[in-house]
């Protein structure tokens, strides 16, 4: 244990330690108190000093204007020094404004060097201090410009003040001190100004000006006055000029100033003198020189991102349109930089909406953030971009193509034109356009001869790449670009001529070789072909038949034949060589372009022929080979059938169609086999209510049952069954009768076109109850007829058949092209219609038709007449039709070919084929004299129209089956009858013997030939004289009108 002395000692040490700690804490408190007091005193002192300085400044600025102008520069310098010492932007904004006005007032004084604020720059002691001060003042002016809003009146006045300060002290031109004897000082003063501008640039001068310009110009109504805009742009240009157009200053000028939305448009409108300054310094050439370098161009684009890159591009394009001479000299560089900019933007153009994309009014879905403040300027930016496909730039860019010497054919053209001088002015204009385009015809042969690596070819390739890139990048104005490129009638024919001259053997062979090459040169050549196809397709799509066939605008029909032949071969090669199967990117785009142009020409030819017979067929493609590949599920065969079925003869396609139907029937168990019979659906029909009963009993059937065997039993109104068993013949009669009734215009389900009386859904068919179900039923009946190979004499309007094939969903489809098939007179007079009762677009009632929107109106009106007002009826019929006939089956056929599939061949009746496939009953045989007379009368005495009437008399359809009479079901048959129909007991032994030995009970001269169309049967009396047969047969077929459509 511790002793007492030890305890006392420990206690004493502990007390001493505690005392030390307390003293330490006390000293720390005192030090802290002193420091706090020092800070407070410092703060109070500074605040007091600032207050005193501000009072002093306020006193200084209380003087009136007269005193202001007499203040010496030194006084202003001192007061400015004090203001800058205490300056707070929120507290001292008014004082700073007064200082700026004071400085400006001093600079405006006349003949008073001591008053001029700039005079201090000449003082040996104050020069550096003055330079430092003016730098601070001018930067504060920039800070204010960043915050001010030009649309507010008070702010706009302050903007003018601060800009005036910047203008005054960044250039010596307004300094009065340098006049006269002071002129010798100008170089030194210019050096000071350059120093000041360098300081401002380092601190962000250009972003300040960019913000000011954007706020003032990117608005529905620009709010920058002429003076403000002039001053701002002048300030932006000064550092560049002062630095003698150094790259280090051209870059920020491009990034911050030339990227302001539609800046050049506003300059040309408000202050065109500034554009003159740009031109005087040859700025466009300097911009092109700077940006044609790939690295520098990429750097600028990455600084701007996509949206503002478009703004820069628009401004450069407008500058280019104002300086055609520079463009002519710098075409290569300008094309290069524009292509690079578009390629940069293209990287972010997306095909669809997603969480990572934003909508852009020019680029579409865009995977970068969009500056929605630019939306107000987008119409002006779009107008600037239009310079790219405007006539002046196209003439400059395609000068190598357009400047071809084509004078050798001009004289004949003039000679042809001379007799028509009295034609209307518009017709003269069109004729002149035609003659102008006709003058290039002599060179449109694939002659070859131009070296692909020549400067001229490379230049044209680069230009085509530029326009092709613009088409794939500026997705929302693609049609504008195509329209601009097709404006000059002679551009596309001459580009085709240029293509024909490429390579040693002609461009057509060259492009086929390029498909298998992956070089940059090949890609550029294929881009040229892609552009040509896109533009030509667009042109032919918007031209009507008169312009294509009669006026032959741009292309002569012979050229379209040559072009379509090349396209047909090119597309076939791409498919057959397997290129399409693995195609992506540019190759896939090339295929779509070439195939699109090909199909536009093919569909135009289907509507009105311009190509020779068998032009579209591939002689080197044997149908048997294609069908074998289809059986093996080869992709290339499927692609041929999907994209270019027209290369296969029509007859083979119909055989393929019938084969597809047969295969499906086998798959569904609808074909009689040795081991099983197909399911049969029985229906009972009253003749007086055939349509109603058929509709009620068939519309509920499943798709499988509708495709299967359907047996019909007819009953009278009293419920008594008619004699006979349906072995397809009765169902054929039922189907024909149903179709006869539903397509009768009197029922008002369908209507006929004016002129050629072709059928389409009636716009007023909605008066029928359940009219859409009726149309679906009609579609099923029509589909069943095609499915079973029963031809029905139902001529549809061309535009309706196009919808049945789904062509109206194609981007190349034009309602106007199809309008003549509805009403040719309406088509001609459409532009003169004054009253429209339906709104074609929202708010259309209040929108007058003008020259500006006339084309749009015509297309909308055509679309309304052929689509909108019958949209529901058409959709219901197509739904019913496609429930029986698969869409991919009918895609093998063109519009006229589909009509032939439905109604039989429109070729002349082949009597030899009919005779070959005829069955005889009742004693008739091929050598019977009545039969010999019959065939001789049909061949020699009947006209083609009468022969068609005969065929309709016996089969209910005036056209033969597509594949010949071997495919007529049931086969055509002739029965000898000697008595009236009610006494005819068929093939009794007596009738057969009498017919065979030409023994008659009595002369049947008063009896007319009759028919049973459900069995394709002709009932022919055993006439004694050929003349009687001719007379009675002619009378019978002419009086049996079947069902009329009009």
């Amino acid at each position: 244990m511790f002793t007492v002395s030890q305890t006392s000692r420990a206690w004493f040490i502990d007390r001493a330690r505690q005392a030390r700690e307390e003293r330490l804490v006390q000293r720390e408190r005192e030090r802290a108190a002193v420091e706090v007091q020092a800070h407070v005193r410092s703060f109070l002192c500074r605040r007091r000093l600032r207050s005193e300085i501000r009072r002093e400044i306020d006193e200084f600025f209380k003087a009136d204007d007269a005193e202001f102008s007499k203040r010496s520069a030194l006084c202003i310098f001192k007061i400015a020094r004090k203001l800058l010492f205490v300056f707070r932007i929120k507290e001292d904004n008014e004082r700073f404004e007064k200082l700026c006005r004071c400085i400006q007032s001093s600079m405006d004084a006349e003949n008073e060097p001591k008053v001029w604020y700039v005079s201090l720059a000449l003082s040996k002691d104050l020069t550096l201090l003055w330079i430092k001060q003016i730098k601070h003042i001018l930067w504060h002016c920039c800070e204010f410009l960043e915050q001010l809003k030009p649309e507010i009146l008070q702010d706009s006045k302050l903007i003018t003040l601060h800009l005036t300060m910047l203008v005054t002290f960044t250039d010596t031109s307004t300094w009065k001190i340098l006049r006269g004897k002071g002129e010798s000082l100008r170089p030194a003063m210019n050096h000071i100004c350059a120093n000041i501008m360098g300081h401002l640039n380092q601190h962000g001068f250009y972003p300040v000006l960019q913000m000011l310009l954007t706020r003032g110009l990117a608005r529905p109504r620009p709010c920058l006055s002429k003076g403000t805009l002039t001053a701002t742009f002048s300030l932006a240009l000064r550092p560049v000029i002062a630095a003698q157009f150094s790259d280090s200053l051209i870059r920020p000028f491009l990034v911050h100033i030339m990227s302001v939305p539609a800046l050049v448009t506003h300059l040309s409108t408000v202050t065109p003198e500034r554009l003159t300054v740009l031109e005087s310094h040859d700025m466009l050439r300097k911009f092109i020189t700077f940006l044609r370098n790939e690295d520098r161009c990429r750097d600028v684009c990455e600084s701007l991102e996509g949206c503002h890159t478009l703004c820069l591009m628009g401004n450069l394009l407008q500058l280019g349109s104002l300086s055609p001479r520079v463009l002519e000299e710098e075409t290569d560089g300008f094309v290069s930089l524009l292509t690079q900019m578009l390629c940069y933007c293209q990287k972010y153009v997306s095909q669809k909406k997603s969480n990572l994309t934003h909508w852009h009014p020019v680029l579409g879905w865009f995977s970068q953030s969009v500056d929605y403040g630019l939306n107000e300027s987008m119409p002006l930016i779009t107008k600037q971009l239009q310079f790219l496909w405007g006539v002046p730039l196209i003439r400059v860019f395609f000068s190598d193509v357009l400047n071809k010497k084509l004078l050798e054919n001009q004289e004949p053209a003039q000679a042809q034109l001379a007799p028509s001088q009295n034609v209307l002015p518009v017709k003269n204009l069109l004729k002149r356009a035609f003659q102008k385009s006709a003058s290039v015809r002599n060179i449109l042969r694939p002659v070859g001869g131009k070296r692909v690596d020549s400067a001229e070819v490379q230049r044209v390739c680069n230009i085509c790449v530029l326009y092709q890139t613009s088409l794939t990048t500026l997705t929302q104005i693609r049609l504008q670009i195509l329209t601009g490129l097709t404006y000059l009638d002679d551009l596309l024919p001459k580009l085709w001529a240029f293509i024909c001259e490429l390579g040693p053997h002609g461009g057509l062979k060259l492009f086929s070789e390029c498909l298998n090459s992956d070089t940059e040169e090949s890609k550029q050549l294929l881009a040229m072909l892609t552009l040509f196809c896109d533009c030509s397709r667009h042109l032919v799509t918007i031209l009507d038949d008169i312009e294509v066939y009669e006026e032959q605008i741009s292309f002569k029909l012979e050229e379209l034949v040559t072009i379509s032949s090349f396209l047909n071969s090119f597309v076939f090669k791409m498919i057959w060589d397997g290129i399409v199967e693995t195609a992506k990117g540019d190759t896939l785009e090339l295929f779509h372009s070439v195939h699109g142009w090909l199909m536009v020409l093919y569909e135009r030819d289907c509507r009105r022929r311009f190509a020779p017979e068998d032009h579209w067929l591939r002689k080197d493609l044997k149908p048997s080979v294609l069908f074998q590949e289809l059986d093996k599920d080869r992709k290339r065969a499927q692609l041929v059938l999907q994209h270019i079925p027209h290369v296969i003869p029509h007859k083979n396609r119909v055989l393929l169609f019938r084969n597809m139907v047969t295969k499906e029937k086998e798959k569904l168990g609808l074909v009689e086999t040795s081991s099983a019979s197909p399911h049969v659906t029985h229906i009972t029909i009253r003749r007086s209510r055939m349509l109603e009963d058929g509709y009620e009993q068939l519309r509920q059937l499943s798709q499988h049952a509708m495709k299967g065997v359907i047996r019909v039993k007819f009953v009278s109104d009293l419920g008594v069954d008619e004699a006979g068993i349906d072995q397809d013949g009765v169902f054929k009669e039922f189907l024909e009768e149903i179709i006869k009734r539903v397509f009768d215009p009197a029922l008002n389900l369908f209507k006929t076109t004016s002129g050629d009386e072709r059928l389409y859904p009636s716009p007023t068919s909605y008066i029928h109850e359940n009219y859409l179900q009726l149309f679906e039923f009609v579609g099923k009946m029509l589909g069943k007829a095609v499915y079973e190979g029963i031809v029905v004499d139902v001529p549809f309007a061309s535009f309706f058949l196009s919808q049945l094939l789904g062509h109206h969903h194609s981007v190349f489809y034009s309602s106007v092209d199809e309008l003549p098939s509805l009403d040719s007179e309406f088509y001609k007079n459409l532009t003169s219609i004054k009253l429209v009762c339906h709104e074609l677009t929202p708010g259309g009632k209040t929108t007058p038709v003008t020259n500006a929107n006339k084309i749009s109106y015509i297309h909308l009106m055509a679309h309304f007449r052929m689509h909108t007002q019958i949209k529901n009826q058409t959709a219901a019929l197509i739904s019913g039709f496609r429930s029986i006939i698969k869409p991919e089956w009918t895609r093998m056929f063109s519009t006229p070919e589909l009509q032939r599939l439905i109604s039989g061949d429109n070729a002349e009746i082949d009597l030899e084929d009919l005779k070959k496939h005829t069955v005889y009953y009742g004693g008739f045989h091929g050598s019977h004299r009545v039969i010999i007379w019959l065939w001789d009368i049909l061949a020699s005495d009947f006209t083609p129209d009468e022969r068609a009437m005969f065929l309709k008399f016996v089969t209910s359809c005036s056209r033969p089956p597509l594949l010949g009479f071997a495919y007529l079901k049931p086969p055509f048959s002739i029965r000898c009858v000697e008595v009236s129909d009610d006494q005819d007991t068929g093939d009794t032994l007596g009738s057969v013997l009498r017919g065979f030995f030409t023994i008659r009970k009595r002369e049947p001269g008063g009896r007319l030939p009759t028919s049973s169309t459900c069995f394709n049967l002709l009932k022919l009396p055993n006439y004694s004289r050929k003349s009687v047969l001719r007379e009675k047969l002619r009378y019978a077929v002419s009086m049996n009108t079947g069902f009329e459509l009009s």
Side-chain angles (χ1 to χ4, degrees):
M1 295 300 294
F2 295 111
T3 62
V4 175
S5 60
Q6 287 175 326
T7 304
S8 300
R9 185 181 176 194
W11 175 81
F12 179 78
I13 291 171
D14 187 53
R15 284 294 303 274
R17 181 182 58 75
Q18 289 179 5
R20 278 198 310 275
E21 288 176 356
E22 285 175 3
R23 288 195 301 274
L24 184 61
V25 169
Q26 184 61 30
R27 282 198 302 273
E28 194 61 33
R29 282 199 190 112
E30 289 173 358
R31 189 193 62 75
V34 169
E35 190 169 336
V36 169
Q37 288 172 5
H39 278 297
V40 170
R41 283 196 299 269
S42 172
F43 169 75
L44 292 174
C45 182
R46 286 198 308 275
R47 190 172 68 173
R48 188 165 55 249
L49 179 61
R50 284 199 186 95
S51 298
E52 289 174 1
I53 291 173
R54 286 191 173 105
R55 271 198 303 273
E56 184 180 344
I57 294 168
D58 292 340
E59 287 294 326
F60 181 85
F61 289 130
K62 272 184 182 176
D64 57 25
D65 291 343
E67 290 184 30
F68 253 15
S69 59
K70 294 179 182 177
R71 303 275 191 186
S72 70
L74 189 58
C75 292
I76 298 171
F77 173 78
K78 290 177 179 177
I79 206 71
R81 217 172 161 191
K82 291 178 179 179
L83 178 58
L84 294 173
F85 177 70
V86 299
F87 185 75
R88 296 289 183 275
I89 197 163
K90 290 183 179 178
E91 296 177 43
D92 299 310
N93 54 351
E94 290 185 10
R95 296 182 181 91
F96 189 78
E97 177 190 347
K98 290 175 181 177
L99 174 63
C100 291
R101 294 193 187 282
C102 184
I103 292 173
Q104 280 299 122
S105 179
S106 79
M107 294 296 290
D108 293 337
E110 291 291 340
N111 301 319
E112 296 193 42
K114 291 186 178 180
V115 174
W116 296 330
Y117 177 67
V118 77
S119 63
L120 298 178
L122 303 177
S123 170
K124 189 181 292 185
D125 298 331
L126 298 176
T127 299
L128 294 177
L129 293 174
W130 180 86
I131 292 172
K132 183 179 179 181
Q133 185 179 90
I134 196 63
K135 284 179 180 179
H136 288 162
I137 290 173
L138 293 182
W139 181 244
H140 286 315
C141 287
C142 291
E143 289 177 329
F144 277 107
L145 287 174
E146 267 188 307
Q147 298 179 359
L148 295 171
K149 297 178 180 178
E151 68 272 20
I152 299 172
L153 180 61
Q154 187 58 40
D155 281 12
S156 68
K157 292 178 180 177
L158 291 174
I159 288 171
T160 303
L161 173 65
H162 297 309
L163 285 175
T164 306
M165 286 290 293
L166 288 163
V167 168
T168 302
F169 293 101
T170 54
D171 184 75
T172 61
S173 58
T174 59
W175 293 4
K176 296 175 183 176
I177 197 171
L178 299 180
R179 294 175 185 170
K181 295 179 180 179
E183 188 65 37
S184 59
L185 300 173
R186 193 174 295 275
M189 295 297 103
N190 285 338
H191 186 72
I192 290 175
C193 287
N195 190 335
I196 293 169
M197 284 190 289
H199 173 81
L200 294 175
N201 284 333
Q202 287 177 355
H203 285 75
F205 184 50
Y206 277 119
V208 171
L209 297 181
Q210 180 186 20
M211 190 173 292
L212 175 62
L213 288 169
T214 304
R215 279 181 182 163
L217 299 178
R219 310 172 54 80
R221 294 183 62 183
C223 56
L224 290 184
S225 65
K226 178 178 181 178
T228 305
L229 184 55
T230 302
T232 308
F233 192 74
S234 298
L235 284 169
L237 204 52
R238 277 181 183 175
V240 180
I241 297 171
Q244 297 182 334
F245 311 102
S246 159
D247 287 352
S248 60
L249 280 164
I250 284 182
R251 181 193 178 281
F253 187 83
L254 286 167
V255 169
H256 296 291
I257 306 303
M258 291 305 293
S259 67
V260 172
L263 173 66
V264 177
T265 299
H266 293 297
L267 288 174
S268 62
T269 305
V270 180
T271 173
E273 301 85 7
R274 294 301 93 197
L275 293 180
T276 308
V277 173
L278 278 180
E279 191 174 351
S280 67
H281 289 292
D282 207 11
M283 289 302 295
L284 178 61
R285 194 188 306 273
K286 293 177 172 62
F287 294 153
I288 293 172
T289 304
F290 180 85
L291 288 171
R292 71 186 302 170
N293 177 279
E294 192 173 331
D295 292 334
R296 289 198 292 245
C297 188
R298 189 189 309 111
D299 172 51
V300 168
C301 290
E302 287 173 352
S303 300
L304 291 172
E305 296 191 337
C307 298
H308 288 276
T309 299
L310 274 188
C311 299
L312 171 60
M313 189 172 152
N315 284 321
L316 291 175
L317 281 167
Q318 190 168 358
L319 270 184
S321 71
L322 298 172
S323 309
R325 182 182 55 80
V326 175
L327 280 195
E328 288 172 11
E329 297 168 1
E330 299 288 345
T331 298
D332 293 349
F334 198 54
V335 167
S336 172
L337 74 89
L338 292 175
T339 306
Q340 289 180 65
M341 287 181 174
L342 286 168
C343 287
Y344 174 79
C345 293
Q346 193 182 63
K347 291 191 299 184
Y348 301 98
V349 173
S350 179
Q351 296 301 314
K352 58 185 179 179
K353 179 181 181 180
S354 72
N355 293 332
L356 301 175
T357 58
H358 307 268
W359 178 254
H360 191 283
V362 170
L363 300 166
W365 293 113
F366 196 63
S367 59
Q368 278 188 337
S369 60
V370 175
D371 184 351
Y372 291 102
L374 289 180
N375 281 353
E376 302 288 359
S377 300
M378 207 46 72
L380 290 176
I381 296 169
T382 305
K383 279 187 178 180
Q384 288 185 312
L385 293 174
Q386 287 169 359
F387 285 109
L388 178 58
W389 48 91
V391 172
L393 256 70
I394 287 178
R395 287 199 184 280
V396 170
F397 286 172
F398 284 103
S399 58
D400 290 331
V401 173
L402 292 169
N403 289 341
K404 284 183 174 294
K405 293 183 179 180
L406 305 169
L407 299 177
E408 52 268 34
N409 278 1
Q410 291 290 347
E411 290 182 12
Q414 294 298 328
Q416 292 172 13
L417 186 62
S420 307
Q421 293 303 318
N422 57 350
V423 183
L424 291 173
V426 174
K427 285 290 181 187
N428 266 334
L429 183 64
L430 290 171
K431 270 195 166 295
R432 282 198 299 275
F434 164 62
Q435 299 297 350
K436 178 181 175 184
S437 62
S439 66
V440 305
R441 303 313 183 232
N442 63 311
I443 61 166
L444 299 190
R445 300 290 177 191
V447 293
K450 279 192 187 296
R451 288 179 59 88
V452 176
D453 57 356
S454 67
E456 179 190 7
V457 173
Q458 289 299 309
R459 187 158 50 246
V460 175
C461 282
N462 290 335
I463 291 162
C464 290
V465 169
L466 165 63
Y467 283 107
Q468 193 55 38
T469 308
S470 69
L471 286 171
T472 54
T473 305
L474 311 176
T475 57
Q476 301 309 297
I477 52 174
R478 178 184 172 87
L479 290 180
Q480 286 187 35
I481 302 171
L482 289 170
T483 303
L485 288 169
T486 55
Y487 185 81
L488 291 176
D489 283 346
D490 56 343
L491 175 60
L492 291 176
K494 289 183 178 180
L495 185 57
W496 174 247
F498 188 86
I499 286 171
C500 288
E501 294 177 340
L502 294 176
H505 307 293
L508 310 189
K509 182 174 176 60
L510 176 68
F511 286 118
S512 299
E513 294 169 354
C514 285
L515 283 174
N516 301 315
S517 175
D518 197 34
T519 64
E520 195 62 35
E521 188 179 80
S522 297
K523 290 178 182 177
Q524 289 191 326
L525 287 167
L526 292 174
M528 181 193 297
L529 178 61
T530 305
L531 182 71
F532 172 75
C533 291
D534 284 343
C535 293
S536 302
R537 179 188 66 211
H538 178 76
L539 175 66
V540 172
T541 301
I542 61 178
L543 294 178
D544 59 30
D545 283 355
I546 294 173
E547 292 168 318
V548 171
Y549 291 92
E550 295 170 26
E551 294 163 4
Q552 299 188 33
I553 291 177
S554 285
F555 293 108
K556 285 191 76 176
L557 294 182
E558 294 88 340
E559 291 161 17
L560 293 181
V561 171
T562 306
I563 291 169
S564 58
S565 177
F566 162 66
L567 297 175
N568 212 29
S569 302
F570 192 83
V571 171
F572 177 75
K573 179 178 173 61
M574 287 193 77
I575 293 174
W576 206 248
D577 290 356
I579 296 170
V580 175
E581 294 178 40
T582 57
K584 55 185 178 181
D586 292 340
T587 308
L588 189 60
E589 186 184 331
L590 169 69
F591 175 75
H592 289 321
S593 297
V594 179
H595 176 257
W597 177 208
L598 171 66
M599 295 314 294
V600 165
L601 289 176
Y602 175 68
E603 287 165 17
R604 180 79 75 162
D605 184 63
C606 290
R607 196 164 64 245
R608 181 175 170 183
R609 184 164 288 282
F610 65 81
E613 202 70 35
D614 296 339
H615 170 73
W616 302 98
L617 301 181
R618 289 290 302 180
K619 303 293 191 297
D620 55 342
L621 176 64
K622 293 182 179 178
S624 57
V625 174
L626 181 75
F627 296 163
Q628 287 171 12
E629 297 221 354
L630 283 171
D631 290 338
K632 296 174 183 176
D633 285 333
R634 294 278 175 83
K635 185 69 175 176
R636 67 179 185 177
Q638 294 170 354
L639 288 172
V640 166
L641 210 58
Q642 178 184 343
H643 292 292
I644 47 172
H646 59 257
V647 302
I648 311 161
H650 177 243
K651 182 178 179 180
N652 295 99
R653 278 180 280 142
V654 176
L655 280 170
L656 181 61
F657 172 78
R658 299 302 337 158
N659 188 39
M660 288 173 171
V661 171
T662 303
K663 282 185 176 179
E664 185 182 79
K665 283 185 175 183
E666 291 171 353
K667 185 178 178 182
L668 296 175
L670 302 177
V671 179
E672 186 89 36
T673 63
S674 56
S675 58
S677 296
H679 172 74
V680 178
T681 302
H682 295 275
I683 61 172
T684 303
I685 303 294
R686 291 169 292 177
R687 281 197 180 274
S688 60
R689 294 183 59 81
M690 191 178 293
L691 177 58
E692 294 84 347
D693 289 354
Y695 171 69
E696 286 299 327
Q697 294 183 58
L698 293 178
R699 74 185 183 91
Q700 303 294 344
L701 291 183
S702 66
Q703 186 181 25
H704 184 276
M706 276 297 295
K707 291 183 176 183
V709 179
I710 299 175
R711 297 284 183 231
V712 177
K713 180 176 282 295
F714 285 116
V715 298
S716 67
D717 289 342
L718 299 175
V720 178
D721 292 356
E722 291 186 5
I725 299 173
D726 182 7
Q727 291 297 330
D728 295 331
V730 180
F731 176 72
K732 177 176 180 287
E733 180 188 0
F734 162 73
L735 188 62
E736 289 169 348
E737 282 297 317
I738 284 283
I739 286 176
K740 170 183 172 182
R741 297 188 187 195
V742 296
F743 287 108
D744 185 351
L747 185 62
N748 195 35
L749 275 178
F750 286 83
K751 197 175 177 181
T752 56
T753 61
S754 63
D756 55 359
E757 297 192 339
R758 292 184 168 270
L759 291 162
Y760 69 98
S762 170
T764 57
S765 55
Y766 57 80
I767 61 173
H768 291 280
E769 187 179 0
N770 301 326
Y771 73 103
L772 292 180
Q773 287 88 335
L774 265 173
F775 272 101
E776 187 175 2
F777 171 70
V778 172
K780 288 180 179 179
M781 290 295 97
L782 190 63
K784 179 68 172 173
V786 174
Y787 195 74
E788 300 297 344
I790 299 171
V791 292
V792 289
D793 203 354
V794 186
F796 286 113
S798 174
F799 78 87
F800 178 69
L801 289 168
S802 293
Q803 295 182 52
L804 201 56
L805 287 171
H807 289 174
H808 60 299
H809 295 305
S810 167
V811 293
F812 314 127
Y813 180 80
S814 170
S815 297
V816 176
D817 286 341
E818 296 279 13
L819 189 55
S821 70
L822 171 67
D823 189 337
S824 57
E825 200 60 33
F826 175 72
Y827 168 72
K828 290 176 184 175
N829 299 324
L830 183 58
T831 52
S832 63
I833 290 177
K834 302 298 181 186
L835 178 64
V836 182
C837 301
H838 302 273
E839 286 198 333
L840 304 179
T841 57
K845 278 183 187 174
T846 59
T847 306
V849 178
T850 64
N851 276 333
N853 63 14
K854 182 171 66 177
I855 300 298
S856 178
Y857 168 78
I858 291 170
H859 279 268
L860 288 169
M861 192 63 189
H863 185 77
F864 175 78
R865 283 288 302 271
M866 295 188 295
H867 297 270
T868 307
Q869 65 178 355
I870 58 170
K871 179 176 64 175
N872 296 333
Q873 295 94 318
T874 303
L877 187 144
I878 290 173
S879 172
F881 183 79
R882 289 182 176 175
S883 68
I884 309 295
I885 303 295
K886 293 180 179 179
E888 55 267 29
W889 292 351
T890 56
R891 286 196 193 112
M892 294 188 291
F893 304 104
S894 65
T895 301
E897 288 170 344
L898 180 61
Q899 181 67 67
R900 289 165 66 188
L901 194 66
I902 294 170
S903 300
D905 208 333
N906 53 7
E908 203 167 309
I909 296 167
D910 185 347
L911 289 176
E912 289 301 320
D913 185 46
L914 179 59
K915 188 191 300 185
K916 183 180 176 182
H917 296 98
T918 300
V919 181
Y920 301 102
Y921 297 106
F924 277 158
H925 51 83
S927 301
H928 195 286
R929 66 175 185 179
V930 174
I931 299 302
I932 293 172
W933 290 343
L934 172 68
W935 293 121
D936 187 50
I937 288 167
L938 288 173
S940 305
D941 298 338
F942 272 30
T943 65
D945 287 343
E946 286 176 321
R947 285 195 286 273
M949 290 165 63
F950 169 77
L951 189 62
K952 185 168 184 176
F953 176 70
V954 294
T955 67
S956 80
C957 185
S958 61
R959 296 178 176 185
L962 270 180
L963 300 175
F965 288 101
Y967 288 84
L968 184 65
K969 301 294 181 187
F972 175 57
S973 54
I974 304 174
R975 172 179 291 164
C976 174
V977 292
E978 292 185 325
V979 294
S980 60
D981 280 347
D982 57 347
Q983 294 176 303
D984 178 22
T985 55
D987 292 333
T988 63
L989 179 61
S991 68
V992 170
L993 288 173
R994 283 194 298 273
F996 190 81
F997 292 106
T998 324
I999 302 171
R1000 299 186 303 281
K1001 288 181 179 178
R1002 57 185 179 274
E1003 173 62 48
R1007 169 86 187 269
L1008 288 171
T1010 57
S1011 65
S1012 180
T1013 58
C1014 59
F1015 292 103
N1016 299 324
L1017 171 66
L1018 172 65
K1019 299 176 181 179
L1020 193 64
N1022 190 1
Y1023 293 111
S1024 59
R1025 290 193 306 276
K1026 181 179 179 181
S1027 59
V1028 175
L1029 173 58
R1030 182 191 306 113
E1031 177 190 344
K1032 297 298 183 184
L1033 185 62
R1034 180 171 277 146
Y1035 182 79
V1037 300
S1038 61
M1039 293 304 292
N1040 183 64
T1041 56
F1043 61 94
E1044 293 294 337
L1045 295 175
S1046 58

